[in-house]
Amino acid sequence: FWEFQSIDQPRTFEVKDGFLGPDGKQAADMPTMNMRFTFEPHDGGTRMVTTTTFPSLEALDQLIAMGMEEGMKAAMAQIDAVLAA
């Protein structure tokens, strides 16, 4: 899930990113993270910078072990195509 923490359109937005359990509530056994997306002019286009902050090194390790790095790379690789459509 994403819970929006702040929006400064069109420059930035911040979200709390986490996991839901089968009951639709935040999964107590999974960490959450904070993500900040920043958009800035760059070479006639826009550069998006994403910064993710984890509550602990253990939380980062848990999410990396679950495949977060590969998932983020796959998701980010689709952004240009999604925006072009």
Side-chain angles (χ1 to χ4, degrees):
F1 70 89
W2 273 13
E3 180 181 292
F4 282 84
Q5 304 295 307
S6 68
I7 300 172
D8 181 12
Q9 189 177 347
R11 291 177 279 287
T12 66
F13 68 91
E14 294 184 47
V15 297
K16 174 181 171 182
D17 183 17
F19 296 87
L20 298 177
D23 61 358
K25 296 180 182 177
Q26 183 176 334
D29 61 337
M30 293 296 299
T32 60
M33 64 205 96
N34 292 321
M35 299 178 73
R36 178 179 177 89
F37 297 83
T38 303
F39 305 89
E40 52 194 44
H42 179 73
D43 289 341
T46 301
R47 175 182 297 176
M48 181 180 81
V49 177
T50 306
T51 305
T52 304
T53 306
F54 300 88
S56 67
L57 182 56
E58 292 79 16
L60 171 62
D61 288 343
Q62 179 182 2
L63 294 169
I64 291 294
M66 292 174 56
M68 180 184 162
E69 184 176 4
E70 293 81 5
M72 287 293 289
K73 286 179 181 178
M76 294 299 174
Q78 299 175 44
I79 290 175
D80 287 341
V82 168
L83 294 175

